[in-house]
Structures are given as structure tokens and as C-alpha cells.
Amino acid sequence: MFDQMISYLSKNQDFLLNSAVNLLIALVIFYIGRWLALGAARLVSKALLLRKVDRAVVSFLSSIVYAGALIAVALIALSHLGIQTTSFIAILGAAGLAIALALQGSLSNFASGVLIIIFRPFKAGDMVDVAGISGVVERIDIFQTIFKTGDNKKIIVPNSQITGGPIINYSAEPRRRIDLVIGISYDSDLRLAKQILHDILSNDPRVLKDPAAVVAVSALADSAVQLVVRPWVQAADYWPVYWDILEKVKLDFDQQGIEIPFPQMSLHMKKEVKE
């Protein structure tokens, strides 16, 4: 028995030596690759944390990076041992495709959630208009974002619907411009009306001096001279100032005899005289 083993080893010495060397190299490749995979996962984690991404998202993404890199390293090591990895790659591809098809909606929402958290088009507390919904962002989750409307309704929107359309963030800038169109009749004093509007804006401490407010004639319409009123305010004061200006304009115009016309239609009836 011992003689047979010695004979087998002597005959296959080169093959066994090559196999041992290849096994050693494969182990080194796997060890170094595992170390590189850990480094890549940590690098991704640090980069995301610097962007103030949620830690749960960071942990999940870094785990995905590590698992993907480790699978690639394992396939390289097995290939160096002479094992055909084509079948393994095909199985992994088929399994990945099946999972992706089964979880298509969830994966789309997850990817959109990651994009929202990384690029931060809005944050919690912002007033936004997305997916046909206007409200304040209450919370951003991986698969969905929760909004609260002005009438205190909670609306849960899948993240894929948010990134698939335009996003209007009313809180992104500290200042906003109010755009009003005020109509006065052609019989009213235009200069007096403009002076009243300027006084209303200058007497409101919430209206910013820089940029300066604009009061100008925008159109000579069918039944009114249209004036644009464009003051700048802090974003938090937008709606209170908007409503107060409209109320003040009505009261002051009534007091000063400036008429705000309403749409009218004149009918002219022609009577035919029969002979």
C-alpha cells in the first residue's frame, strides 16, 4: 500500500505540485480580494456618511458592494484552479434576473429612494410639489416618502413616482417672490393706484427691501388695466404676506375710490321694424 502511494506520487509529482501551487495562489487571490472588497465597502460607507446619508441605507449599500466584490473574487479564484465558472455565472445571472423581475416595483422604489437620499432634491420639513401632491415632507424612507398636506392629511408616495417627474421645492431657497396681478378700471387714477400699492408694500416689514418690489402695468386688458405686484419675502412668510396684501389692496382701493372691475358682457339687441 505504501509502495503504491509512493509510486503514485512519483508519477504525478508535477501535477500535484502544480495543483498545490494553483491552490496556494487561489487562496492568496481570495484573501487579497476579500481585503479589497472590505476596503471598497468601507470607502463607499465613508463617502455616503460624508453626504449625511441615513446609516441604515449606508449599511445596506456597503453590504451589497462587499457581497458583489466577494462573489467576483471567488469566481476569479475558482477560475485559477481550473474550475469552469461559466455555469456559475449563468446560474447567478438567471437567479438575479428572476429576482429582479419578481421585485421590479420594489427595486425601482428602492433605487429611487437611494437617489433621493444621496442627491437630496428635498429634505424633511421642505414644502414641495411632487407627483401631483403639494405638502410638507415628513419622512423619507427607502421605498416611500411620507408627506403631510396643509389640511393635515398624511400621503404616502412610492419613491419611483417622485423621481419619475418634476420636483418643485418651495423651501430650497430662503427667499421667494410673490406674483400678484391686480386689475383696475380704465376710469381709475393709474398713478394713485400704483402709489397705493407701493405704500402697502413699503409699510409691511415682512417685504424685503432687496431685491426691490416691482409694481408695473403688465397689460391693457379688455375690461381692466392689469398691474403686476412682485414683492420678495422670506419663504416662511410667503402665504401670510400674500393673503395680507390682497386684503389690504381691496380695503385701500375702496377707501381711495379705485375700482377693481369684474368681467362684464354687454348685449346689444337689434329690433327689426316690419313694414
Side-chain angles (χ1 to χ4, degrees):
M1 183 69 179
F2 183 74
D3 292 339
Q4 291 178 351
M5 184 179 295
I6 295 296
S7 176
Y8 176 81
L9 291 175
S10 61
K11 291 179 180 179
N12 299 277
Q13 182 178 1
D14 293 339
F15 172 76
L16 294 174
L17 182 60
N18 289 333
S19 298
V21 171
N22 289 334
L23 178 61
L24 181 61
I25 294 175
L27 291 174
V28 171
I29 290 174
F30 183 79
Y31 177 79
I32 295 176
R34 180 173 175 272
W35 178 76
L36 292 175
L38 284 172
R42 288 170 183 162
L43 185 63
V44 169
S45 177
K46 289 181 180 179
L48 294 176
L49 289 175
L50 287 175
R51 298 183 65 88
K52 298 181 180 179
V53 177
D54 186 82
R55 288 187 175 274
V57 179
V58 172
S59 177
F60 185 78
L61 290 178
S62 60
S63 298
I64 291 178
V65 171
Y66 175 71
L70 196 61
I71 290 174
V73 168
L75 291 175
I76 294 173
L78 291 174
S79 177
H80 194 78
L81 286 174
I83 299 174
Q84 294 294 327
T85 58
T86 306
S87 57
F88 288 103
I89 295 174
I91 293 172
L92 289 174
L97 179 61
I99 293 172
L101 291 175
L103 301 175
Q104 184 177 4
S106 298
L107 290 175
S108 177
N109 289 326
F110 170 77
S112 298
V114 172
L115 292 176
I116 291 172
I117 293 173
I118 292 177
F119 294 105
R120 302 176 70 85
F122 53 79
K123 62 183 184 299
D126 284 355
M127 175 69 184
V128 298
D129 190 348
V130 296
I133 296 170
S134 294
V136 177
V137 180
E138 192 174 73
R139 192 171 74 249
I140 304 171
D141 292 335
I142 292 297
F143 296 99
Q144 61 199 15
T145 300
I146 301 174
F147 299 91
K148 182 173 286 187
T149 61
D151 55 352
N152 208 31
K153 290 188 296 189
K154 182 178 289 186
I155 301 179
I156 301 173
V157 182
N159 288 329
S160 60
Q161 294 186 17
I162 296 174
T163 57
I167 300 173
I168 302 175
N169 190 340
Y170 298 106
S171 304
E173 300 295 335
R175 297 179 297 183
R176 289 185 64 186
R177 190 184 72 186
I178 298 175
D179 290 345
L180 296 173
V181 178
I182 308 294
I184 65 172
S185 67
Y186 279 92
D187 295 332
S188 297
D189 189 334
L190 176 59
R191 292 187 177 88
L192 177 59
K194 291 181 66 176
Q195 185 59 49
I196 293 172
L197 293 173
H198 278 296
D199 291 342
I200 291 173
L201 298 180
S202 61
N203 291 331
D204 193 326
R206 296 167 298 180
V207 175
L208 302 177
K209 305 302 180 184
D210 185 23
V214 173
V215 177
V217 177
S218 63
L220 300 176
D222 293 337
S223 60
V225 178
Q226 293 184 351
L227 301 172
V228 289
V229 181
R230 294 177 176 176
W232 287 84
V233 296
Q234 296 294 335
D237 295 331
Y238 182 88
W239 287 112
V241 175
Y242 185 100
W243 295 323
D244 289 347
I245 288 178
L246 285 178
E247 180 179 351
K248 190 67 173 173
V249 166
K250 178 64 171 69
L251 294 175
D252 287 5
F253 275 13
D254 288 346
Q255 186 177 2
Q256 297 294 332
I258 303 296
E259 181 184 355
I260 301 177
F262 50 88
Q264 302 180 35
M265 180 180 293
S266 298
L267 295 177
H268 301 276
M269 300 182 66
K270 185 177 180 181
K271 184 178 180 181
E272 295 184 358
V273 180
K274 295 184 178 180
E275 295 181 358

